[in-house]
């Protein structure tokens, strides 16, 4: 359920929409209905991106049906959005067809400050203390809570135990060891590591975190610090060694390159673990992105999806009621969503403790690593802030300029975007 999953499909602007009234599916549409239907006083349009895990769409519609049974005065239209979800959402939020409830892969403080998403402090109640503190911090903007985290998606390194053992390689704990392993595992038939089709993926932010740096601190872009420059410049080694798989048929969020034996190491997500286990049995392990050097910090990326309410919508009270019912009150459905369609960590501590499939084996190990080394992107981390870092990193690994100068320029561009969010 990574934020990158929408790239799976580009079958048009919107996928199908299914309307639920008092628990019954009564119609399909690709444009918002507005108004009531079949006696309901309110019709909510609820957007989901097109999850790649089988059964997720059916689960979303089942949850909507259960909600309408409990609230027959509120109809719910579930809209499934394939393709570039974020761009479609941002464009639609500027129109009269904006959804009432929608999920966000990277919650934006700028959206909160522009008044696009509603504060949801009143939805949490006593349950707030049960949410992962990192998730509460993530949705907090200027002291208010602007969303409810639906799932925590953990991203980490998968490695093939048998491949590393055959090569006499110990699972790497520093970047030097990772680079050496990737080079040693590269042969004429395949590469040693897959981090994304562009060879960049999440690695710039991972590099910064792994050397004790940060991306944005108290409103100041920090990824041009000396430790950030050192670590991002170090990524060039993977490219110079030609040990990265590039241009595969699917990107890093899909485990196919790993399960098909194309690479023995891949950056991917917890959501892919059931498919990996089906393909490889127990012949895999998980690791954080290693510390850049001794004394550095291993890191797993914690992302996921957050449910938000359109602050400018016509049905904010009903929308809040839906979000509260599903993502605060219905712990059984939260558990189902987290462990039945790929693996994800529930944001609520009590729900995570009850998730049996996450309480054993490699899934449990991943959850423990995430608790110890997991890092969220800051909620200022929108496209305007992150793109300059990725662009600078691409030039750095290609030997196209001085790393310090490139990152300083990128940080300057990003700071303008952060300042605009805060104005």
């Amino acid at each position: 359920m990574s934020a990158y999953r929408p790239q799976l499909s580009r079958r048009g602007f919107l996928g199908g929409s299914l309307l639920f009234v008092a628990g019954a599916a009564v119609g399909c549409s690709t444009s918002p209905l507005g108004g009531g239907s079949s006696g309901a006083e309110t019709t909510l349009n609820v957007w989901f991106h097109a999850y790649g895990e089988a059964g997720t769409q059916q689960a979303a519609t089942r949850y909507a049906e259960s909600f309408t049974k409990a609230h027959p005065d509120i109809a719910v239209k579930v809209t499934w959005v394939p393709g570039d979800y974020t761009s479609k959402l941002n464009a639609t939020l500027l129109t009269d067809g904006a959804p009432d409830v929608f999920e966000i892969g990277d919650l934006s403080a700028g959206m909160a400050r522009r008044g696009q998403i509603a504060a949801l402090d009143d939805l949490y109640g006593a349950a707030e203390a049960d949410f992962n503190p990192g998730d509460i911090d993530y949705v907090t903007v200027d002291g208010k809570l602007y969303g409810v985290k639906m799932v925590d998606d953990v991203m980490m390194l998968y490695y093939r135990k048998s491949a590393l053992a055959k090569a006499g390689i110990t699972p790497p704990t520093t970047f030097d060891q990772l680079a050496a392993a990737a080079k040693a595992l590269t042969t004429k038939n395949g590469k040693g590591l897959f981090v994304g089709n562009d060879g960049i993926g999440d690695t710039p932010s991972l590099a910064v975190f792994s050397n004790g740096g940060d991306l944005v601190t108290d409103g100041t872009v920090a990824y041009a610090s000396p430790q950030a420059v050192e670590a991002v410049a170090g990524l060039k080694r993977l490219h110079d060694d030609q040990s990265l798989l590039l241009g595969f048929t699917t990107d890093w969020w899909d485990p196919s390159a790993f399960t098909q034996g194309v690479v023995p190491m891949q950056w991917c997500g917890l959501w892919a673990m059931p498919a990996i286990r089906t393909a490889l049995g127990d012949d895999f392990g998980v690791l954080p992105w290693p510390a850049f050097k001794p004394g550095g910090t291993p890191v797993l990326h914690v992302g996921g999806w957050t449910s938000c309410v359109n602050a400018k919508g016509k049905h904010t009270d009903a929308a809040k009621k839906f979000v509260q019912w599903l993502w605060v009150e219905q712990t059984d459905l939260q558990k189902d969503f987290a462990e039945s369609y790929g693996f994800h960590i529930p944001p609520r501590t009590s729900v995570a403790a009850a998730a049996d499939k996450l309480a054993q084996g490699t899934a449990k190990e991943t959850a423990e690593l995430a608790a110890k080394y997991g890092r969220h992107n800051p909620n200022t981390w929108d496209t305007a802030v992150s793109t300059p870092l990725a662009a600078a990193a691409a030039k750095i690994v290609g030997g196209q300029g001085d790393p310090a100068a490139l990152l300083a320029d990128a940080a300057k561009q990003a700071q303008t975007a952060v300042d605009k969010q805060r104005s």
Side-chain angles (χ1 to χ4, degrees):
M1 295 185 186
S2 157
Y4 294 84
R5 303 291 295 202
Q7 305 303 324
L8 278 170
S9 172
R10 299 187 181 275
R11 292 192 298 270
F13 189 81
L14 291 182
S17 299
L18 193 58
L19 175 67
F20 291 89
V21 180
V26 298
C28 296
S29 172
T30 56
S31 60
L33 297 175
S37 180
S38 300
E41 298 175 5
T42 301
T43 297
L44 293 178
N45 187 15
V46 180
W47 273 31
F48 291 85
H49 83 282
Y51 287 87
E53 293 81 11
T56 312
Q57 184 173 8
Q58 292 77 6
T61 55
R62 189 170 65 251
Y63 303 159
E65 184 176 6
S66 296
F67 175 80
T68 61
K69 287 180 179 178
H71 304 85
D73 58 324
I74 304 174
V76 176
K77 186 180 68 133
V78 173
T79 299
W80 203 249
V81 185
D84 189 350
Y85 174 83
T86 300
S87 294
K88 294 173 184 178
L89 175 65
N90 289 339
T92 306
L93 286 175
L94 300 176
T95 72
D96 292 337
D100 299 289
V101 178
F102 50 90
E103 58 182 13
I104 297 178
D106 282 312
L107 186 138
S108 167
M111 293 180 72
R113 293 183 176 122
R114 290 191 297 269
Q116 290 181 291
I117 52 179
L120 304 181
D121 301 68
D122 54 332
L123 305 192
Y124 281 86
E128 181 178 344
D130 192 39
F131 277 81
N132 184 305
D135 290 324
I136 293 296
D137 290 344
Y138 174 71
V139 302
T140 299
V141 179
D142 299 332
K144 295 183 179 181
L145 306 174
Y146 282 90
V148 180
K149 199 75 182 291
M150 301 156 58
V151 289
D152 283 340
D153 277 331
V154 180
M155 287 144 270
M156 64 286 192
L157 278 171
Y158 286 93
Y159 68 95
R160 191 78 177 266
K161 291 180 178 179
S162 59
L164 269 65
K166 183 178 180 180
I169 296 172
T170 301
T173 59
T174 66
F175 179 75
D176 279 348
Q177 292 174 4
L178 175 64
K183 183 177 182 179
L185 292 165
T186 295
T187 68
K188 62 180 181 180
N189 296 318
K191 301 296 185 179
L193 175 64
F194 186 39
V195 297
N197 281 329
D198 60 357
I200 302 295
D202 283 340
T203 59
S205 57
L206 295 170
V208 172
F209 286 139
S210 73
N211 203 28
D214 212 339
L215 301 176
V216 182
T217 305
D218 297 328
T220 300
V221 177
Y223 58 62
S225 66
Q227 61 265 49
V229 171
E230 180 185 27
V232 175
L235 296 173
K236 188 174 185 293
R237 178 175 172 185
L238 296 172
H239 295 258
D240 290 346
D241 290 344
Q242 298 184 15
S243 57
L244 295 175
L245 173 66
L246 304 174
F248 190 62
T249 54
T250 56
D251 216 335
W252 65 267
W253 37 256
D254 184 282
S256 296
F258 186 66
T259 58
Q260 294 173 12
V262 179
V263 289
M265 297 190 296
Q266 178 177 336
W267 182 258
C268 195
L270 179 60
W271 60 82
M273 190 172 289
I276 291 173
R277 183 173 293 159
T278 297
L280 303 180
D282 293 330
D283 188 21
F284 72 94
V286 295
L287 293 168
W289 186 264
F292 181 69
K293 59 187 179 183
T297 307
V299 58
L300 293 85
H301 182 195
V302 180
W305 292 88
T306 301
S307 187
C308 295
V309 169
N310 180 2
K312 299 180 180 180
K314 298 178 181 178
H315 311 298
T316 55
D317 288 342
K320 287 182 177 182
K321 186 176 291 186
F322 177 80
V323 172
Q324 182 181 47
W325 180 87
L326 181 52
W327 300 117
V328 177
E329 297 174 352
Q330 304 303 310
T331 56
D332 57 333
L333 300 186
Q334 295 159 30
K335 179 176 179 291
D336 175 68
F337 197 66
E339 65 177 357
S340 297
Y341 319 100
F343 284 173
H344 320 270
I345 298 177
R348 292 190 59 170
T349 303
S350 62
V351 180
D356 298 336
K357 295 178 182 178
L358 301 176
Q360 53 189 326
T362 314
K364 179 181 179 182
E365 181 183 355
T366 301
E368 292 171 346
L369 286 170
K372 188 173 184 179
Y373 300 122
R375 294 291 299 266
H376 289 81
N377 287 336
N379 57 24
T380 49
W381 198 248
D382 62 12
T383 301
V385 181
S386 62
T387 298
L389 173 59
K395 290 181 180 179
I396 289 169
V397 301
Q400 299 175 32
D402 174 66
L406 287 168
L407 286 172
D409 183 62
K412 183 178 179 180
Q413 296 176 52
Q415 188 64 56
T416 299
V418 170
D419 291 343
K420 186 176 180 180
Q421 289 181 21
R422 298 171 66 87
S423 62

